[in-house]
Amino acid sequence: MSVLIKPIITEKMTADSELYNRYGFMVDPKANKLQIKEAVEAAYGVSVEKVRTMNYGPSRKSRYTKTGVQHGKTNAIKKAIVDVAEGDIIDFYSNL
């Protein structure tokens, strides 16, 4: 099971990373805070101080077509906001 799926790179998360040393990740919905902390420390070589998680449910949509009503949904996701120690940075743009 891979805990970290991908980093969240948005304008808001980039501002948080520059000001407060916070980084966002999409994580496996079954992962807990300890597993997320260990995965970030192992992958990026930083020391994690705090982990906050958010569960997002699926968005459900329906549309009306000539063949009838079509129902669909997006996947449920879990986000993690990770605070790293002072002086540690995570560079998502390096080609390692």
Side-chain angles (χ1 to χ4, degrees):
M1 170 175 102
S2 178
V3 176
L4 300 177
I5 297 173
K6 65 179 180 179
I8 300 170
I9 302 174
T10 60
E11 190 172 344
K12 186 175 183 179
M13 281 310 310
T14 304
D16 265 3
S17 66
E18 291 171 357
L19 294 175
Y20 305 113
N21 263 3
R22 290 183 195 144
Y23 299 92
F25 294 94
M26 302 283 254
V27 296
D28 184 43
K30 295 182 175 115
N32 60 31
K33 292 183 181 185
L34 293 175
Q35 291 172 334
I36 294 168
K37 178 180 178 177
E38 291 168 1
V40 170
E41 287 177 346
Y44 295 103
V46 296
S47 58
V48 174
E49 291 181 345
K50 188 177 185 182
V51 176
R52 287 169 289 177
T53 59
M54 298 168 267
N55 281 307
Y56 284 90
S59 300
R60 300 179 192 281
K61 290 185 178 181
S62 60
R63 65 175 184 256
Y64 301 97
T65 63
K66 57 185 170 181
T67 59
V69 180
Q70 301 291 319
H71 298 284
K73 68 178 183 71
T74 60
N75 293 332
I77 58 170
K78 186 173 191 176
K79 291 182 185 179
I81 307 299
V82 176
D83 289 3
V84 299
E86 276 297 319
D88 287 348
I89 60 167
I90 297 175
D91 188 15
F92 294 129
Y93 302 109
S94 66
N95 294 329
L96 295 178

Coordinates of all heavy atoms in Angstrom, one line a residue:
M1 N 0.8 -1.2 0.0 CA 0.0 0.0 0.0 C 0.9 1.2 0.0 O 1.7 1.4 0.9 CB -0.9 0.0 1.2 CG -1.6 1.2 1.5 SD -2.8 1.1 2.9 CE -1.8 1.9 4.1
S2 N 0.7 2.0 -1.0 CA 1.5 3.3 -1.1 C 0.6 4.4 -0.4 O -0.5 4.6 -0.8 CB 1.7 3.7 -2.5 OG 2.4 4.9 -2.6
V3 N 1.1 5.0 0.7 CA 0.4 5.9 1.5 C 0.2 7.2 0.7 O -0.9 7.8 0.6 CB 1.0 6.1 2.8 CG1 0.3 7.2 3.6 CG2 1.1 4.8 3.6
L4 N 1.3 7.8 0.2 CA 1.2 9.1 -0.5 C 0.8 8.8 -2.0 O 1.5 8.1 -2.7 CB 2.6 9.8 -0.5 CG 3.1 10.1 0.9 CD1 4.5 10.8 0.8 CD2 2.1 11.1 1.7
I5 N -0.2 9.5 -2.4 CA -0.6 9.4 -3.8 C 0.0 10.5 -4.7 O 0.7 10.2 -5.6 CB -2.1 9.4 -3.9 CG1 -2.7 8.2 -3.2 CG2 -2.6 9.4 -5.4 CD1 -4.2 8.2 -3.1
K6 N -0.2 11.7 -4.3 CA 0.5 12.8 -5.0 C 0.4 14.1 -4.2 O -0.4 14.2 -3.3 CB -0.2 13.1 -6.4 CG -1.7 13.6 -6.3 CD -2.2 13.8 -7.6 CE -3.7 14.3 -7.5 NZ -4.3 14.6 -8.8
P7 N 1.3 15.0 -4.4 CA 1.3 16.3 -3.6 C 0.2 17.2 -4.2 O -0.1 17.1 -5.4 CB 2.7 16.9 -3.8 CG 3.2 16.3 -5.1 CD 2.6 14.9 -5.2
I8 N -0.3 18.0 -3.4 CA -1.3 19.0 -3.8 C -0.5 20.3 -4.1 O 0.1 20.9 -3.2 CB -2.4 19.3 -2.7 CG1 -3.1 18.0 -2.4 CG2 -3.3 20.4 -3.2 CD1 -4.0 18.1 -1.2
I9 N -0.5 20.7 -5.4 CA 0.2 21.9 -5.8 C -0.9 22.9 -6.4 O -1.2 22.8 -7.5 CB 1.2 21.6 -6.9 CG1 2.2 20.6 -6.3 CG2 2.0 22.8 -7.3 CD1 3.2 20.0 -7.3
T10 N -1.3 23.7 -5.5 CA -2.3 24.8 -5.8 C -1.7 26.1 -5.3 O -0.7 26.1 -4.6 CB -3.6 24.6 -5.2 OG1 -3.5 24.6 -3.8 CG2 -4.3 23.3 -5.7
E11 N -2.3 27.2 -5.7 CA -1.9 28.5 -5.3 C -1.9 28.6 -3.8 O -1.0 29.2 -3.1 CB -2.7 29.6 -6.0 CG -2.2 31.0 -5.8 CD -2.9 32.0 -6.7 OE1 -3.6 31.6 -7.6 OE2 -2.8 33.2 -6.4
K12 N -3.0 28.1 -3.2 CA -3.2 28.2 -1.7 C -2.2 27.4 -1.0 O -1.6 27.8 0.0 CB -4.6 27.8 -1.4 CG -5.0 27.9 0.0 CD -6.4 27.6 0.2 CE -6.9 27.8 1.7 NZ -8.3 27.4 1.9
M13 N -1.9 26.2 -1.4 CA -0.9 25.3 -0.8 C 0.5 25.8 -1.0 O 1.3 25.7 -0.1 CB -1.0 23.9 -1.3 CG -2.1 23.1 -0.7 SD -2.3 23.1 1.1 CE -0.7 22.7 1.7
T14 N 0.8 26.4 -2.1 CA 2.1 27.0 -2.3 C 2.3 28.2 -1.4 O 3.4 28.3 -0.8 CB 2.3 27.5 -3.8 OG1 2.0 26.3 -4.6 CG2 3.6 27.9 -4.1
A15 N 1.3 29.0 -1.2 CA 1.4 30.1 -0.2 C 1.6 29.6 1.2 O 2.4 30.1 2.0 CB 0.2 31.0 -0.3
D16 N 0.9 28.5 1.6 CA 1.0 27.9 2.9 C 2.4 27.3 3.1 O 3.0 27.4 4.2 CB 0.0 26.8 3.1 CG -1.2 27.3 3.8 OD1 -1.3 28.5 4.1 OD2 -2.1 26.5 4.1
S17 N 3.0 26.7 2.0 CA 4.3 26.2 2.2 C 5.4 27.2 2.3 O 6.4 27.0 3.1 CB 4.7 25.3 1.0 OG 4.8 26.0 -0.2
E18 N 5.2 28.4 1.7 CA 6.2 29.4 1.8 C 6.1 30.1 3.2 O 7.1 30.5 3.8 CB 6.0 30.4 0.7 CG 6.4 29.9 -0.7 CD 6.0 30.8 -1.8 OE1 5.4 31.8 -1.6 OE2 6.3 30.4 -3.0
L19 N 4.9 30.4 3.6 CA 4.7 31.1 4.9 C 4.8 30.3 6.1 O 5.4 30.7 7.1 CB 3.3 31.8 4.9 CG 3.1 32.9 3.8 CD1 1.7 33.4 3.8 CD2 4.1 34.0 4.0
Y20 N 4.2 29.1 6.1 CA 4.0 28.3 7.4 C 4.7 26.9 7.4 O 4.5 26.2 8.3 CB 2.5 28.1 7.6 CG 1.7 29.4 7.7 CD1 0.8 29.6 6.7 CD2 1.9 30.3 8.7 CE1 0.0 30.8 6.8 CE2 1.2 31.5 8.8 CZ 0.2 31.7 7.8 OH -0.5 32.9 7.9
N21 N 5.4 26.6 6.3 CA 6.0 25.3 6.2 C 5.0 24.2 6.2 O 5.2 23.1 6.9 CB 7.1 25.1 7.3 CG 8.5 25.4 6.8 OD1 8.7 25.8 5.6 ND2 9.5 25.2 7.6
R22 N 3.9 24.3 5.5 CA 2.9 23.3 5.4 C 2.8 22.8 4.0 O 2.8 23.6 3.1 CB 1.5 23.9 5.8 CG 1.3 24.2 7.2 CD -0.1 24.7 7.5 NE -0.2 25.4 8.7 CZ -0.9 26.4 9.0 NH1 -1.7 26.9 8.1 NH2 -0.9 27.0 10.2
Y23 N 2.7 21.5 3.9 CA 2.6 20.9 2.5 C 1.4 20.0 2.5 O 1.0 19.3 3.5 CB 3.8 20.1 2.2 CG 5.1 21.0 2.2 CD1 5.8 21.1 3.3 CD2 5.4 21.6 1.1 CE1 7.0 22.0 3.3 CE2 6.6 22.5 1.0 CZ 7.3 22.6 2.2 OH 8.4 23.4 2.1
G24 N 0.7 19.9 1.4 CA -0.5 19.1 1.2 C -0.3 17.9 0.3 O 0.5 18.0 -0.6
F25 N -0.9 16.8 0.7 CA -0.8 15.6 -0.1 C -2.1 14.9 -0.2 O -2.9 14.9 0.7 CB 0.2 14.6 0.6 CG 1.6 15.0 0.7 CD1 2.1 15.7 1.8 CD2 2.5 14.8 -0.3 CE1 3.4 16.1 1.9 CE2 3.8 15.2 -0.3 CZ 4.2 15.9 0.8
M26 N -2.4 14.2 -1.3 CA -3.5 13.3 -1.5 C -2.9 12.0 -0.9 O -1.8 11.5 -1.4 CB -3.9 13.1 -2.9 CG -4.3 14.4 -3.6 SD -5.9 14.9 -3.1 CE -6.8 14.5 -4.5
V27 N -3.7 11.4 0.0 CA -3.2 10.1 0.6 C -4.2 9.0 0.4 O -5.4 9.3 0.1 CB -2.8 10.3 2.1 CG1 -1.7 11.3 2.2 CG2 -4.0 10.8 2.9
D28 N -3.8 7.8 0.8 CA -4.7 6.7 0.7 C -5.8 6.9 1.8 O -5.5 7.2 2.9 CB -3.9 5.4 1.0 CG -4.7 4.2 0.9 OD1 -5.5 4.1 0.0 OD2 -4.6 3.3 1.8
P29 N -7.1 6.6 1.4 CA -8.1 6.8 2.4 C -8.1 6.0 3.7 O -8.6 6.3 4.7 CB -9.4 6.5 1.6 CG -9.1 6.7 0.2 CD -7.6 6.3 0.1
K30 N -7.3 4.9 3.6 CA -7.2 4.0 4.8 C -6.0 4.3 5.7 O -5.8 3.7 6.7 CB -7.1 2.6 4.3 CG -8.4 2.1 3.7 CD -8.3 0.6 3.3 CE -9.6 0.2 2.7 NZ -9.5 -0.2 1.3
A31 N -5.2 5.3 5.2 CA -4.0 5.6 6.0 C -4.3 6.5 7.2 O -5.2 7.3 7.2 CB -3.0 6.4 5.1
N32 N -3.6 6.2 8.3 CA -3.7 7.1 9.5 C -2.6 8.1 9.6 O -1.7 8.1 8.7 CB -3.8 6.2 10.7 CG -2.6 5.4 11.0 OD1 -1.5 5.7 10.6 ND2 -2.8 4.2 11.6
K33 N -2.6 8.9 10.6 CA -1.7 10.0 10.7 C -0.2 9.5 10.9 O 0.7 10.1 10.4 CB -2.1 11.0 11.8 CG -3.4 11.7 11.5 CD -3.7 12.7 12.6 CE -5.0 13.4 12.3 NZ -5.3 14.4 13.3
L34 N -0.1 8.5 11.7 CA 1.3 7.9 11.9 C 1.9 7.4 10.6 O 3.1 7.6 10.3 CB 1.3 6.9 13.0 CG 0.9 7.3 14.4 CD1 0.8 6.1 15.3 CD2 1.9 8.3 14.9
Q35 N 1.1 6.7 9.8 CA 1.6 6.2 8.5 C 1.9 7.3 7.6 O 2.9 7.2 6.9 CB 0.5 5.3 7.9 CG 0.3 4.0 8.6 CD -0.9 3.2 8.1 OE1 -1.8 3.8 7.5 NE2 -0.8 1.9 8.3
I36 N 1.1 8.4 7.6 CA 1.4 9.5 6.7 C 2.7 10.2 7.1 O 3.5 10.5 6.3 CB 0.2 10.5 6.7 CG1 -1.0 9.8 6.1 CG2 0.6 11.8 6.0 CD1 -2.3 10.6 6.3
K37 N 2.9 10.4 8.4 CA 4.1 11.0 8.9 C 5.3 10.2 8.6 O 6.3 10.8 8.1 CB 4.0 11.1 10.5 CG 5.2 11.7 11.1 CD 5.1 11.8 12.6 CE 6.3 12.3 13.3 NZ 6.2 12.5 14.7
E38 N 5.3 8.9 8.7 CA 6.4 8.0 8.4 C 6.7 8.1 6.9 O 7.9 8.1 6.5 CB 6.2 6.6 8.9 CG 6.2 6.5 10.4 CD 5.7 5.1 10.8 OE1 5.3 4.3 10.0 OE2 5.6 4.9 12.1
A39 N 5.7 8.1 6.1 CA 5.9 8.1 4.6 C 6.5 9.4 4.1 O 7.4 9.4 3.3 CB 4.5 7.9 3.9
V40 N 6.1 10.5 4.7 CA 6.6 11.8 4.3 C 8.1 11.9 4.7 O 8.9 12.4 4.0 CB 5.8 13.0 4.8 CG1 6.5 14.3 4.6 CG2 4.4 13.0 4.2
E41 N 8.4 11.5 5.9 CA 9.7 11.5 6.4 C 10.7 10.7 5.6 O 11.8 11.0 5.3 CB 9.8 11.2 7.9 CG 9.2 12.2 8.8 CD 9.2 11.8 10.3 OE1 9.4 10.6 10.6 OE2 9.0 12.7 11.1
A42 N 10.2 9.5 5.2 CA 11.0 8.6 4.4 C 11.2 9.1 3.0 O 12.3 9.0 2.4 CB 10.4 7.2 4.4
A43 N 10.1 9.7 2.4 CA 10.2 10.0 1.0 C 11.0 11.3 0.8 O 11.7 11.5 -0.2 CB 8.8 10.2 0.4
Y44 N 10.9 12.3 1.7 CA 11.5 13.6 1.5 C 12.6 13.9 2.4 O 13.2 15.0 2.3 CB 10.4 14.7 1.6 CG 9.3 14.5 0.5 CD1 8.1 14.0 0.7 CD2 9.6 14.9 -0.9 CE1 7.2 13.9 -0.3 CE2 8.7 14.8 -1.9 CZ 7.5 14.2 -1.6 OH 6.6 14.1 -2.6
G45 N 12.8 13.1 3.4 CA 14.0 13.4 4.4 C 13.8 14.6 5.2 O 14.7 15.3 5.5
V46 N 12.6 14.9 5.7 CA 12.3 16.0 6.6 C 11.7 15.5 7.9 O 11.3 14.3 7.9 CB 11.3 17.0 5.9 CG1 11.9 17.6 4.7 CG2 10.0 16.3 5.6
S47 N 11.7 16.3 8.9 CA 11.1 15.9 10.1 C 9.7 16.5 10.2 O 9.5 17.8 10.1 CB 11.9 16.2 11.3 OG 12.2 17.6 11.4
V48 N 8.7 15.7 10.4 CA 7.3 16.2 10.5 C 6.9 16.5 11.9 O 7.1 15.7 12.8 CB 6.3 15.1 9.8 CG1 4.9 15.5 10.0 CG2 6.7 14.9 8.4
E49 N 6.3 17.6 12.1 CA 5.8 18.0 13.4 C 4.3 17.7 13.6 O 4.0 17.3 14.7 CB 6.0 19.5 13.7 CG 7.5 19.9 13.8 CD 7.7 21.4 14.0 OE1 6.7 22.2 13.8 OE2 8.8 21.8 14.4
K50 N 3.5 17.9 12.6 CA 2.1 17.7 12.8 C 1.4 17.3 11.5 O 1.9 17.7 10.4 CB 1.5 19.1 13.2 CG 0.1 19.1 13.6 CD -0.3 20.5 14.1 CE -1.7 20.6 14.6 NZ -2.0 21.9 15.0
V51 N 0.4 16.5 11.6 CA -0.3 16.0 10.4 C -1.8 16.2 10.7 O -2.3 15.8 11.7 CB -0.1 14.5 10.2 CG1 -0.9 14.0 9.0 CG2 1.4 14.2 9.9
R52 N -2.5 16.9 9.7 CA -3.9 17.0 9.8 C -4.6 16.4 8.6 O -4.0 16.5 7.5 CB -4.3 18.5 9.9 CG -4.0 19.1 11.2 CD -4.1 20.6 11.2 NE -2.9 21.1 10.4 CZ -2.7 22.4 10.2 NH1 -3.6 23.3 10.6 NH2 -1.7 22.8 9.5
T53 N -5.7 15.7 8.7 CA -6.3 15.0 7.6 C -7.7 15.5 7.4 O -8.4 15.9 8.3 CB -6.3 13.5 7.9 OG1 -7.0 13.2 9.1 CG2 -4.9 12.9 8.0
M54 N -8.2 15.3 6.2 CA -9.5 15.7 5.8 C -10.1 14.6 4.8 O -9.4 14.2 3.9 CB -9.6 17.0 5.0 CG -9.1 18.2 5.8 SD -8.8 19.6 4.8 CE -7.1 19.4 4.4
N55 N -11.2 14.1 5.1 CA -11.9 13.1 4.3 C -12.9 13.8 3.4 O -13.8 14.6 3.9 CB -12.6 12.0 5.1 CG -11.6 11.0 5.5 OD1 -10.9 10.4 4.8 ND2 -11.6 10.7 6.8
Y56 N -12.9 13.6 2.1 CA -13.9 14.2 1.2 C -14.7 13.0 0.6 O -14.1 12.1 0.0 CB -13.2 15.0 0.1 CG -12.7 16.3 0.5 CD1 -11.4 16.5 1.0 CD2 -13.5 17.4 0.5 CE1 -10.9 17.7 1.4 CE2 -13.0 18.7 0.9 CZ -11.8 18.8 1.3 OH -11.3 20.0 1.7
G57 N -16.0 13.1 0.7 CA -16.8 12.1 0.1 C -16.9 12.3 -1.4 O -16.5 13.3 -2.0
P58 N -17.6 11.4 -2.1 CA -17.7 11.5 -3.6 C -18.7 12.5 -3.9 O -19.7 12.8 -3.2 CB -18.1 10.1 -4.0 CG -18.8 9.5 -2.8 CD -18.1 10.1 -1.6
S59 N -18.5 13.2 -5.1 CA -19.5 14.2 -5.6 C -20.4 13.4 -6.5 O -20.0 12.7 -7.4 CB -18.8 15.3 -6.4 OG -18.0 16.0 -5.6
R60 N -21.7 13.4 -6.3 CA -22.7 12.7 -7.1 C -23.3 13.6 -8.1 O -23.7 14.8 -7.7 CB -23.7 12.0 -6.2 CG -23.1 11.1 -5.2 CD -24.1 10.4 -4.3 NE -23.5 9.7 -3.2 CZ -22.9 8.6 -3.3 NH1 -22.9 7.9 -4.5 NH2 -22.3 8.0 -2.3
K61 N -23.5 13.2 -9.3 CA -24.1 14.0 -10.4 C -25.1 13.1 -11.1 O -24.9 11.9 -11.2 CB -23.0 14.5 -11.3 CG -22.2 15.6 -10.8 CD -21.3 16.1 -11.9 CE -20.4 17.2 -11.3 NZ -19.5 17.8 -12.4
S62 N -26.1 13.7 -11.7 CA -27.0 13.0 -12.6 C -27.3 13.9 -13.8 O -27.3 15.1 -13.6 CB -28.2 12.6 -11.9 OG -28.9 13.7 -11.5
R63 N -27.4 13.3 -14.9 CA -27.8 14.1 -16.1 C -28.9 13.4 -16.9 O -29.0 12.1 -16.8 CB -26.5 14.4 -17.0 CG -25.9 13.2 -17.6 CD -24.8 13.6 -18.6 NE -24.3 12.4 -19.2 CZ -23.1 11.8 -18.9 NH1 -22.4 12.3 -18.0 NH2 -22.7 10.8 -19.6
Y64 N -29.6 14.1 -17.6 CA -30.8 13.6 -18.3 C -30.4 13.5 -19.8 O -30.1 14.5 -20.4 CB -32.0 14.5 -18.1 CG -32.4 14.7 -16.6 CD1 -31.9 15.7 -15.9 CD2 -33.1 13.7 -16.0 CE1 -32.2 15.9 -14.6 CE2 -33.4 13.8 -14.7 CZ -33.0 14.9 -14.0 OH -33.3 15.0 -12.6
T65 N -30.5 12.3 -20.3 CA -30.2 12.1 -21.7 C -31.4 11.4 -22.4 O -32.4 11.1 -21.7 CB -29.0 11.2 -21.9 OG1 -29.3 9.9 -21.3 CG2 -27.8 11.8 -21.2
K66 N -31.4 11.2 -23.7 CA -32.5 10.6 -24.3 C -32.6 9.1 -24.0 O -33.7 8.5 -24.2 CB -32.5 10.9 -25.8 CG -31.2 10.4 -26.5 CD -31.3 10.8 -28.0 CE -30.0 10.5 -28.7 NZ -30.0 11.0 -30.1
T67 N -31.6 8.5 -23.5 CA -31.7 7.1 -23.0 C -32.1 7.0 -21.6 O -32.2 5.9 -21.1 CB -30.3 6.4 -23.2 OG1 -29.3 7.1 -22.5 CG2 -29.9 6.4 -24.7
G68 N -32.3 8.1 -20.9 CA -32.7 8.1 -19.5 C -31.8 8.9 -18.6 O -30.9 9.6 -19.1
V69 N -32.0 8.7 -17.3 CA -31.2 9.4 -16.4 C -29.9 8.6 -16.1 O -29.9 7.4 -15.9 CB -31.9 9.6 -15.0 CG1 -31.1 10.3 -14.0 CG2 -33.2 10.3 -15.3
Q70 N -28.7 9.3 -16.3 CA -27.4 8.7 -16.0 C -26.9 9.2 -14.7 O -26.9 10.4 -14.4 CB -26.4 9.2 -17.1 CG -26.8 8.8 -18.5 CD -26.8 7.3 -18.7 OE1 -25.9 6.6 -18.3 NE2 -27.8 6.7 -19.4
H71 N -26.5 8.3 -13.8 CA -26.0 8.7 -12.5 C -24.5 8.4 -12.5 O -24.0 7.4 -13.0 CB -26.7 7.9 -11.4 CG -28.1 8.2 -11.3 ND1 -28.6 9.3 -10.7 CD2 -29.2 7.5 -11.7 CE1 -29.9 9.3 -10.8 NE2 -30.3 8.2 -11.4
G72 N -23.7 9.2 -11.8 CA -22.3 9.0 -11.6 C -21.8 9.6 -10.4 O -22.5 10.4 -9.8
K73 N -20.5 9.3 -10.1 CA -19.9 9.9 -8.9 C -18.4 9.9 -9.1 O -17.8 9.2 -9.9 CB -20.3 9.2 -7.6 CG -19.7 7.8 -7.5 CD -20.1 7.2 -6.1 CE -19.5 5.9 -5.9 NZ -18.0 5.9 -5.7
T74 N -17.7 10.8 -8.4 CA -16.3 10.9 -8.3 C -15.8 10.0 -7.2 O -16.6 9.5 -6.4 CB -15.8 12.3 -8.2 OG1 -16.3 12.8 -6.9 CG2 -16.2 13.2 -9.3
N75 N -14.5 9.8 -7.1 CA -13.9 9.0 -6.1 C -13.9 9.8 -4.8 O -13.7 11.0 -4.8 CB -12.5 8.5 -6.4 CG -12.6 7.5 -7.6 OD1 -13.5 6.8 -7.8 ND2 -11.5 7.5 -8.4
A76 N -14.0 9.1 -3.6 CA -13.7 9.7 -2.3 C -12.2 9.8 -2.2 O -11.5 8.9 -2.5 CB -14.3 8.8 -1.2
I77 N -11.8 10.9 -1.6 CA -10.4 11.2 -1.4 C -10.1 11.6 0.0 O -11.0 12.0 0.8 CB -9.9 12.3 -2.4 CG1 -10.6 13.6 -2.2 CG2 -9.9 11.8 -3.8 CD1 -10.1 14.8 -2.9
K78 N -8.8 11.5 0.4 CA -8.4 12.0 1.7 C -7.2 12.9 1.5 O -6.3 12.5 0.7 CB -8.0 10.8 2.6 CG -7.6 11.1 4.0 CD -7.4 9.9 4.8 CE -7.3 10.2 6.3 NZ -7.2 9.0 7.1
K79 N -7.2 14.0 2.1 CA -6.1 15.0 2.0 C -5.4 15.0 3.4 O -6.0 14.9 4.4 CB -6.6 16.4 1.7 CG -7.2 16.6 0.3 CD -7.6 18.0 0.1 CE -8.2 18.3 -1.2 NZ -8.6 19.7 -1.3
A80 N -4.1 15.3 3.3 CA -3.3 15.5 4.5 C -2.5 16.8 4.4 O -1.8 17.0 3.4 CB -2.4 14.3 4.7
I81 N -2.6 17.6 5.4 CA -1.7 18.8 5.5 C -0.6 18.5 6.6 O -0.9 18.1 7.7 CB -2.6 20.0 6.0 CG1 -3.8 20.2 5.1 CG2 -1.7 21.3 6.0 CD1 -3.5 20.4 3.7
V82 N 0.6 18.6 6.1 CA 1.8 18.2 6.9 C 2.6 19.4 7.3 O 3.0 20.2 6.4 CB 2.6 17.2 6.1 CG1 3.8 16.8 6.9 CG2 1.8 15.9 5.8
D83 N 2.8 19.6 8.6 CA 3.7 20.7 9.0 C 5.1 20.1 9.2 O 5.2 19.1 10.0 CB 3.2 21.3 10.4 CG 1.9 22.1 10.2 OD1 1.4 22.2 9.1 OD2 1.5 22.7 11.3
V84 N 6.1 20.7 8.6 CA 7.5 20.2 8.8 C 8.2 21.2 9.7 O 7.8 22.3 10.0 CB 8.2 20.1 7.4 CG1 7.5 19.1 6.5 CG2 8.3 21.4 6.7
A85 N 9.3 20.7 10.2 CA 10.1 21.5 11.2 C 10.7 22.7 10.5 O 10.8 22.8 9.3 CB 11.2 20.6 11.8
E86 N 11.1 23.7 11.3 CA 11.7 24.9 10.8 C 13.0 24.6 10.1 O 13.8 23.8 10.6 CB 12.0 25.9 12.0 CG 10.9 26.8 12.5 CD 10.4 27.7 11.4 OE1 11.2 28.3 10.7 OE2 9.2 27.9 11.3
G87 N 13.2 25.2 9.0 CA 14.4 25.0 8.2 C 14.3 23.9 7.2 O 15.1 23.8 6.3
D88 N 13.4 22.9 7.4 CA 13.2 21.9 6.4 C 12.3 22.3 5.3 O 11.3 23.0 5.5 CB 12.5 20.6 7.0 CG 13.5 19.9 7.9 OD1 14.7 20.2 7.9 OD2 13.1 19.0 8.7
I89 N 12.6 22.0 4.0 CA 11.7 22.3 2.9 C 11.6 21.1 2.1 O 12.4 20.2 2.1 CB 12.3 23.5 2.1 CG1 13.7 23.1 1.5 CG2 12.3 24.8 2.8 CD1 14.1 24.1 0.4
I90 N 10.5 21.0 1.3 CA 10.2 19.9 0.4 C 10.1 20.6 -1.0 O 9.3 21.5 -1.2 CB 8.9 19.2 0.7 CG1 9.0 18.5 2.0 CG2 8.6 18.2 -0.4 CD1 7.7 17.9 2.5
D91 N 11.0 20.2 -1.9 CA 11.0 20.7 -3.3 C 10.3 19.7 -4.2 O 10.9 18.7 -4.5 CB 12.5 21.0 -3.7 CG 12.6 21.7 -5.0 OD1 11.5 22.3 -5.4 OD2 13.7 21.8 -5.6
F92 N 9.1 20.1 -4.6 CA 8.4 19.2 -5.5 C 8.8 19.4 -7.0 O 8.5 18.5 -7.8 CB 6.9 19.6 -5.5 CG 6.2 19.3 -4.1 CD1 5.5 20.2 -3.5 CD2 6.4 18.0 -3.6 CE1 4.8 19.9 -2.3 CE2 5.8 17.7 -2.4 CZ 5.0 18.7 -1.7
Y93 N 9.6 20.4 -7.3 CA 9.9 20.7 -8.7 C 11.3 20.2 -9.1 O 11.7 20.3 -10.2 CB 9.8 22.2 -8.9 CG 8.5 22.7 -8.6 CD1 8.3 23.5 -7.5 CD2 7.4 22.4 -9.4 CE1 7.0 24.0 -7.2 CE2 6.1 22.9 -9.1 CZ 5.9 23.7 -8.0 OH 4.7 24.2 -7.7
S94 N 12.0 19.5 -8.2 CA 13.4 19.0 -8.5 C 13.2 17.7 -9.3 O 12.3 16.9 -9.0 CB 14.2 18.8 -7.3 OG 13.7 17.8 -6.5
N95 N 14.0 17.4 -10.2 CA 14.0 16.2 -11.0 C 14.9 15.2 -10.5 O 15.9 14.8 -11.1 CB 14.3 16.5 -12.5 CG 13.3 17.5 -13.1 OD1 12.2 17.4 -12.8 ND2 13.8 18.3 -14.0
L96 N 14.5 14.6 -9.3 CA 15.3 13.5 -8.7 C 14.9 12.2 -9.1 O 13.8 11.9 -9.3 CB 15.4 13.7 -7.2 CG 16.0 14.9 -6.7 CD1 15.9 15.0 -5.2 CD2 17.5 15.0 -7.1

